[in-house]
């Protein structure tokens, strides 16, 4: 296996890891100043990094079998493209924000599963950001407010360099995650609160079913949903749909009504979920997960047949609730399952996929885990 020394002719200064995420509920509301309830997962992207005393950036990924080399000043909208844009974009964004940083040599040694809807891109951005923060003494990684500033740079990398108009939930989760908890992210005031979420304590497991249908967020659908939501807010004379009411939503143009209704009802479901979790009533959140999926499938139209089938098969075999997670159009679904039903749910989902002649799904558990950290 190619190592850092073979690639760059010296040892790295350290290793940094950042997790992917699963969103428990609160989907497609981050860019509407809404509330989301994601958690960081155990799967991590790991980068080995050495600081340079010039402006050069040399990047290599073992998973992608690909390299990029350039200077920070050469980074620009849509360049570099592909995976390298996420890492190089972070350097660009930190410099844009006024931080004094130089170049780096970086090797991606491990990655959150790619394309599974578990935010491998945010994990790459956040592990890079934490490494650069430490190597150039920015002093941001040690405090929650500093980590929010790093998350902002990662979001800028994704929005401005990669060109994906994503809303910021993934980067905040990867940098701020707390083991055994989900994070209540308020995307209007930028605050977060750790909410207890430990399914095992209730004899439950949160299963992740990767449909292996590969989504692409940079393509048109995500941006079209975001534009519709912004248009709806403007039509109501509000800065966002955060405080819109269902009564107001019915006054919108008919094509905007279901989109806006999803935002309003989903934010309400997040509040209800948090109330149940705070009250120690985790097993009761199942119907809220199901309702979230129905809203995403019918009102927001970001699901797909494979995600719908994963959820319905999981419920049939005993899941308390199931929904797609992440941007949709493929990627993963989650199912809240009594531990003794886990095997039955996995078999039922696999059988349903085989019968429909879909690719075999990849099924794993998800552990609410800590955010990005130095690991060597
Ligand atoms: C993707 C985006 C997030 C969020 C989700 C949907 O993961 O990166 O910002 O919008 O989709 O909730």
């Amino acid at each position: 296996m190619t190592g850092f020394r073979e690639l760059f002719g010296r040892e790295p200064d350290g290793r940094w890891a950042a997790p992917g995420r699963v969103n428990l509920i609160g989907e497609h509301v981050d860019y509407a100043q809404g509330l989301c309830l994601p958690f960081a997962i155990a799967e991590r992207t790991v980068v080995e990094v050495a600081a340079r005393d010039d402006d050069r950036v040399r990047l290599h990924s073992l998973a992608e079998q690909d390299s990029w080399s350039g200077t920070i000043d050469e980074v620009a909208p849509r360049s570099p493209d592909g995976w390298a844009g996420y890492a190089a974009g972070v350097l660009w964004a930190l410099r844009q924000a006024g931080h004094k940083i130089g170049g780096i040599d970086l090797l991606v040694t491990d990655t959150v599963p790619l394309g599974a809807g578990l935010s491998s891109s945010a994990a790459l951005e956040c592990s890079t950001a934490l490494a650069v923060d430490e190597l150039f003494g920015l002093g941001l990684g040690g405090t929650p407010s500093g980590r929010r500033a790093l998350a902002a740079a990662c979001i800028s990398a994704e929005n401005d360099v990669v060109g994906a108009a994503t809303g910021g939930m993934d980067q905040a989760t990867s940098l701020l995650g707390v083991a055994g908890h989900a994070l209540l992210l308020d995307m209007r005031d930028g605050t977060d609160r750790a909410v207890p979420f430990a399914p095992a304590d209730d004899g439950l497991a949160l299963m992740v079913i990767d449909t292996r249908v590969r989504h692409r967020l940079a393509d048109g659908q995500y941006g079209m949903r975001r534009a519709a939501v912004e248009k709806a807010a403007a039509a109501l004379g509000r800065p966002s749909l955060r405080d819109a009411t269902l009564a107001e939503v019915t006054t919108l143009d008919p094509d905007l009504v279901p989109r806006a209704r999803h935002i309003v009802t989903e934010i309400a479901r997040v509040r209800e979920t948090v109330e149940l979790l705070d009250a120690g009533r985790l097993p009761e959140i199942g119907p809220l997960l199901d309702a979230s999926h129905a809203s995403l499938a019918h009102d927001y139209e970001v699901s797909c047949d494979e995600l719908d089938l994963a959820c319905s098969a999981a419920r049939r075999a005993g899941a308390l609730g199931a929904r797609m997670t992440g941007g949709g159009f493929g990627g993963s679904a989650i199912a809240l399952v009594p531990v003794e039903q886990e095997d039955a749910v996995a078999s039922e989902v696999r059988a349903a996929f085989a019968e429909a002649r879909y690719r075999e799904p990849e099924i794993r558990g998800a552990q609410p885990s800590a955010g990005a950290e130095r690991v060597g």
Side-chain angles (χ1 to χ4, degrees), residues 24 37 195-197 273-282 285:
L24 186 58
L37 194 62
V195 178
F197 181 64
T273 305
V274 169
E275 270 174 37
L276 287 172
L277 293 180
D278 280 338
R281 294 164 58 191
L282 189 159
I285 69 171

Side-chain angles (χ1 to χ4, degrees), residues 199-207 318 320 336-345:
D201 293 353
D202 286 297
L204 300 173
L206 197 85
M207 296 173 70
L320 304 180
L336 184 66
V337 179
V339 171
E340 61 277 11
Q341 306 285 111
E342 256 184 290
D343 290 345
V345 168

Side-chain angles (χ1 to χ4, degrees), residues 219-240:
D219 87 359
Q221 292 294 332
Y222 186 95
M224 280 161 66
R225 295 302 179 284
R226 187 170 176 155
V229 164
E230 281 161 8
K231 197 169 159 196
L236 297 177
R238 289 184 173 277
S240 75

Side-chain angles (χ1 to χ4, degrees), residues 21 23 26-28 30-31 158 166-170 217 222 326-327:
R21 64 96 189 92
N23 190 14
E27 210 68 83
H28 278 280
D30 59 348
Y31 49 79
E158 185 139 344
T166 52
M169 166 177 77
D170 311 334
L217 284 187
Y222 186 95

Side-chain angles (χ1 to χ4, degrees), residues 104-124:
I104 54 171
D105 292 334
L106 177 148
L107 172 64
V108 186
T109 58
D110 294 283
T111 173
V112 169
L114 300 171
L118 301 176
S119 286
S120 56
S121 50
L124 176 56

Side-chain angles (χ1 to χ4, degrees), residues 119-275:
S119 286
S120 56
S121 50
L124 176 56
E125 292 155 3
C126 295
S127 52
T128 303
L130 200 64
V132 172
D133 170 67
E134 194 172 329
L135 292 175
F136 293 99
L138 308 186
L140 298 171
T143 62
S145 63
R147 284 188 173 230
R148 278 185 217 111
L150 290 178
C154 295
I155 295 164
S156 167
E158 185 139 344
N159 291 172
D160 302 325
V161 175
V162 177
T166 52
M169 166 177 77
D170 311 334
Q171 294 79 5
T173 313
S174 186
L175 281 160
L176 297 165
V178 178
H181 293 73
L183 278 184
L184 174 60
L185 297 177
D186 183 325
M187 303 303 291
R188 178 163 61 190
D189 65 15
T191 58
D192 56 273
R193 172 165 80 81
V195 178
F197 181 64
D201 293 353
D202 286 297
L204 300 173
L206 197 85
M207 296 173 70
V208 177
I209 304 160
D210 176 6
T211 62
R212 297 172 76 201
V213 176
R214 294 303 175 232
H215 64 149
R216 284 221 46 86
L217 284 187
D219 87 359
Q221 292 294 332
Y222 186 95
M224 280 161 66
R225 295 302 179 284
R226 187 170 176 155
V229 164
E230 281 161 8
K231 197 169 159 196
L236 297 177
R238 289 184 173 277
S240 75
L241 291 179
R242 167 67 175 265
D243 292 324
T245 63
L246 278 178
E248 276 176 297
V249 164
T250 56
T251 67
L252 289 164
D253 281 353
D255 55 330
L256 294 178
V257 170
R259 305 291 192 244
R261 185 166 55 215
H262 167 73
I263 304 292
V264 172
T265 59
E266 184 76 354
I267 292 172
R269 283 186 288 272
V270 174
R271 291 188 200 284
E272 286 182 60
T273 305
V274 169
E275 270 174 37

Side-chain angles (χ1 to χ4, degrees), residues 39-61:
F39 61 88
I41 56 177
E43 286 81 357
R44 285 166 177 248
T45 291
V46 180
V47 294
E48 297 180 347
V49 188
R52 297 177 60 92
D53 43 25
D54 59 15
D55 216 27
R56 191 145 269 293
V57 179
R58 296 192 294 177
L59 308 172
H60 185 84
S61 164

